[in-house]
Amino acid sequence: MTFPDGVTLIDLRPEELRLREPLPVPVLAVTLEAIEDGTHGLRPDLGPLVVICERGARSGLAARYLQADGLEATAYPGGVLALWRERELRRAGGEG
C-alpha cells in the first residue's frame, strides 16, 4: 500500500464508506459528479493523481475525465478491495 512520493490519492467513495473504512494514507475526497462536470478543483501542482473507488470501475472513468482536463491521472486497478487485498498479502508474506 505504498504510493510513490508526490502522488495525490483521490477517493471517490461516498463519505459513509470513507468513514467506515478509512484508508491508511492521506486522501482527497472528490465525487465522480464533480469530476464529470469539471468542478473538482484539482490542479496540476497536486502532482500525479491516483483515483480510487470501491471496486475500480468508477475510478477508471474519473481518471479519463481528469486526463481530458489536462491532469496526470490513473486509476488504482481493482479499487479499495484490491488495495486491502494487497495489504493482506504483504502482511502474510512478512512485508510490512
Side-chain angles (χ1 to χ4, degrees):
M1 198 177 298
T2 304
F3 293 95
D5 289 339
V7 166
T8 299
L9 187 61
I10 307 298
D11 193 341
L12 295 180
R13 298 176 301 156
E15 182 178 14
E16 66 182 46
L17 285 178
R18 288 192 319 271
L19 292 174
R20 185 175 346 134
E21 215 175 285
L23 297 176
V25 293
V27 300
L28 288 178
V30 180
T31 65
L32 178 58
E33 293 75 22
I35 291 172
E36 287 174 329
D37 66 20
T39 61
H40 49 75
L42 300 170
R43 308 169 316 277
D45 64 317
L46 291 172
L49 307 174
V50 176
V51 187
I52 194 164
C53 64
E54 188 65 18
R55 292 189 176 87
R58 293 173 48 233
S59 60
L61 177 61
R64 288 191 296 278
Y65 273 106
L66 293 170
Q67 290 165 1
D69 286 345
L71 299 169
E72 184 179 344
T74 58
Y76 190 88
V80 171
L81 296 175
L83 193 65
W84 290 123
R85 230 181 351 260
E86 177 187 329
R87 184 176 188 215
E88 291 305 313
L89 287 174
R90 287 178 187 236
R91 280 187 186 172
E95 301 176 29

